[in-house]
């Protein structure tokens, strides 16, 4: 049976509940072609356990199945479309904003359940991190923070245009990138972080010289430490 084409609504979320009280939430967005359960499994394989952040729910949404231009229109679980994988490419902003609205519903659901937005962090790997940038710096500047792993913002992104109008109150950023990344080049990731920093974003950046376009054990451990500090629950 063919998988349904769903260019808007999220397919499902994998949720990991905390062992103790639920006082905070982390939303982790997968990269292109993956799923929420897929990236959670990847983390479990590397760490031999889930991410561990005290009193914090982990939410791993799955992007809709939609035509993806870099794959000649083939269907893939991607957060948004893009013309090509390059810093200078124009953003397909309509599809970005649809994804922001859908993932934003998770943020609102968490807030409605009693989790303060300043106890919510959103981030992701590759395209997931890119969407997290849009969510955090355009639509939800009152969250606790954002993380970006092997990710990017396009050179003339609307994010930069909108952040220029904001004087303070921008969520802090944890970013990490592999020095041997062949897909989202290291310099692209660095330029993204430097641009945000120049606009007033408090940043923590880690380079992993031997890492390709992938997650790493030390990277995830540093992320856990940062999340625990930012959420402080």
């Amino acid at each position: 049976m063919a998988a349904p084409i769903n260019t808007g609504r999220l397919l499902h979320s994998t949720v990991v509940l905390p062992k103790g009280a639920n006082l905070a939430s982390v939303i982790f967005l997968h990269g292109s072609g993956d799923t929420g359960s897929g990236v959670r499994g990847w983390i479990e394989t590397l760490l031999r356990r889930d991410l561990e952040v005290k009193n914090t729910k982990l939410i791993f949404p799955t992007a809709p199945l939609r035509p993806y231009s870099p794959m000649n229109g083939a269907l893939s679980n991607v957060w948004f479309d893009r013309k090509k994988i390059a810093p200078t490419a124009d953003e397909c902003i309509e599809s970005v904003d649809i994804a922001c609205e859908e993932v934003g519903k998770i943020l609102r659901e968490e807030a409605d359940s009693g989790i303060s937005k300043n106890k919510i962090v959103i981030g992701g790997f590759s395209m997931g991190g890119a969407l997290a940038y849009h969510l955090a710096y355009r639509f939800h500047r009152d969250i606790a923070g954002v993380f970006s792993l092997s990710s990017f913002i396009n050179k003339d992104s609307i994010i930069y245009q909108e952040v220029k109008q904001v004087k303070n109150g921008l969520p802090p950023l944890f970013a990490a990138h592999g020095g041997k990344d062949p897909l989202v080049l290291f310099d692209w990731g660095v330029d993204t972080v430097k641009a945000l920093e120049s606009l007033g974003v408090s940043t923590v950046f880690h380079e992993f010289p031997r890492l390709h376009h992938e997650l790493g054990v030390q990277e995830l451990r540093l992320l856990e430490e940062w999340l625990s500090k930012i959420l402080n629950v």
Side-chain angles (χ1 to χ4, degrees):
M1 181 177 178
I5 300 175
N6 180 352
T7 59
R9 291 177 287 108
L10 304 183
L11 294 184
H12 60 270
S13 293
T14 296
V15 177
V16 181
L17 296 174
K19 295 177 181 178
N22 186 187
L23 304 177
S25 299
V26 170
I27 302 171
F28 197 122
L29 305 176
H30 63 76
S32 60
D34 203 352
T35 61
S37 61
V39 74
R40 184 220 175 170
W42 191 5
I43 292 167
E44 285 185 301
T45 297
L46 290 170
L47 296 179
R48 300 182 183 276
R49 56 172 173 79
D50 282 306
L51 282 175
E52 292 183 355
V53 186
K54 184 179 178 182
N55 296 329
T56 299
K57 180 196 295 183
L58 307 176
I59 304 170
F60 299 91
T62 294
L65 190 65
R66 58 166 300 143
Y68 187 42
S69 294
M71 293 172 56
N72 297 317
L75 299 179
S76 185
N77 292 106
V78 292
W79 298 109
F80 52 84
D81 196 18
R82 48 185 173 167
K83 294 180 174 65
K84 60 181 179 178
I85 303 172
T88 55
D90 292 335
E91 291 175 315
C92 298
I93 199 65
E94 182 179 357
S95 65
V96 170
D97 286 354
I98 289 171
C100 285
E101 174 60 27
E102 286 300 306
V103 179
K105 291 176 182 177
I106 298 175
L107 281 162
R108 289 191 289 273
E109 288 170 0
E110 292 304 293
D112 289 345
S113 74
I115 304 298
S116 172
K117 285 189 76 177
N118 65 6
K119 294 298 180 183
I120 299 175
V121 171
I122 188 165
F125 174 76
S126 194
M127 178 184 276
L131 186 66
Y133 279 134
H134 281 272
L135 282 156
Y137 296 120
R138 295 178 57 212
F139 299 110
H140 297 280
R141 298 185 183 120
D142 53 348
I143 62 173
V146 58
F147 63 92
S148 166
L149 311 177
S150 303
S151 195
F152 58 90
I153 298 176
N154 289 15
K155 185 176 180 181
D156 295 321
S157 174
I158 191 173
I159 295 173
Y160 297 135
Q161 300 170 35
E162 294 190 11
V163 169
K164 285 178 183 178
Q165 311 304 318
V166 181
K167 302 302 180 183
N168 50 48
L170 295 166
L173 168 66
F174 174 100
H177 215 108
K180 292 186 176 181
D181 193 329
L183 184 63
V184 180
L185 299 181
F186 177 76
D187 287 348
W188 189 2
V190 171
D191 289 347
T192 293
V193 173
K194 286 182 176 179
L196 288 171
E197 195 168 40
S198 73
L199 294 171
V201 175
S202 174
T203 65
V204 174
F205 179 76
H206 296 281
E207 174 188 357
F208 295 91
R210 297 182 180 180
L211 207 63
H212 293 252
H213 194 65
E214 57 189 331
L215 297 173
V217 173
Q218 184 61 21
E219 174 185 46
L220 292 172
R221 289 173 177 165
L222 289 169
L223 175 61
E224 286 178 325
E225 292 175 7
W226 181 84
L227 288 169
S228 296
K229 181 179 178 181
I230 288 292
L231 292 171
N232 191 28
V233 293

